[in-house]
């Protein structure tokens, strides 16, 4: 069983920075692709960034150059460093663990609120 716990959300002014962290339980972390997704009010959940077990990162066009995803397999954590935040980055951010063995498994955290406002 996998549990994901996010932390680090909050209120920040435009142009500011926040760092989100996700801690995972279980033994499959190092073999899984980890990701951050977000959902703004009235909108569908969207991909922000993913990082494979080998460390290859992928970003949504809207956050490229501003956000950085990283992982620590020994600590079973995945972080999202968010710089130059904009009001449109306001959303609930969710951590995701994506694992494929015979079929696809997805686990989600409870979400953490990020609000960018002056």
């Amino acid at each position: 069983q996998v549990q994901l716990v996010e932390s680090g959300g909050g209120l920040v002014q435009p142009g500011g920075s926040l760092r989100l962290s996700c801690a995972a339980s279980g033994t499959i972390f190092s073999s899984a692709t980890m990701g951050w997704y977000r959902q703004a009010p009235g909108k569908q959940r969207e991909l922000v960034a993913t990082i494979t077990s080998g460390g290859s990162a992928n970003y949504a066009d809207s956050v490229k150059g501003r956000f950085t995803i990283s992982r620590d397999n020994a600590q079973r954590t995945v972080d999202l460093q968010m710089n130059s935040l904009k009001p449109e980055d306001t959303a609930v951010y969710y951590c995701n663990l994506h694992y494929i063995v015979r079929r696809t498994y997805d686990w989600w955290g409870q979400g953490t609120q990020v609000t960018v406002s002056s």
Side-chain angles (χ1 to χ4, degrees), residues 33-79:
T33 293
M34 299 300 299
W36 286 96
Y37 291 72
R38 68 186 181 187
Q39 187 167 17
K43 294 188 176 181
Q44 290 189 332
R45 190 174 298 188
E46 63 177 4
L47 180 148
V48 176
T50 61
I51 185 166
T52 68
S53 58
S56 295
N58 178 61
Y59 298 93
D61 288 343
S62 59
V63 307
K64 279 180 182 176
R66 300 188 298 122
F67 291 11
T68 303
I69 190 171
S70 60
R71 67 188 293 163
D72 184 330
N73 287 336
Q75 297 296 321
R76 294 201 295 260
T77 58
V78 57
D79 292 348

Side-chain angles (χ1 to χ4, degrees), residues 54-109:
S56 295
N58 178 61
Y59 298 93
D61 288 343
S62 59
V63 307
K64 279 180 182 176
R66 300 188 298 122
F67 291 11
T68 303
I69 190 171
S70 60
R71 67 188 293 163
D72 184 330
N73 287 336
Q75 297 296 321
R76 294 201 295 260
T77 58
V78 57
D79 292 348
L80 185 69
Q81 177 65 43
M82 305 185 294
N83 299 328
S84 303
L85 283 160
K86 305 175 181 180
E88 50 264 43
D89 295 317
T90 295
V92 177
Y93 284 70
Y94 297 90
C95 179
N96 169 260
L97 186 150
H98 182 76
Y99 183 62
I100 300 175
V101 57
R102 299 186 189 90
R103 69 175 183 90
T104 298
Y105 296 85
D106 279 286
W107 284 272
W108 296 90

Side-chain angles (χ1 to χ4, degrees), residues 4 16 18 28 31 40 45 49 54-55 60 65 67 76 97 110 112-113 115:
L4 302 173
L18 276 177
I28 62 173
S31 302
R45 190 174 298 188
F67 291 11
R76 294 201 295 260
L97 186 150
Q110 81 285 357
T112 185
Q113 177 70 47
T115 302

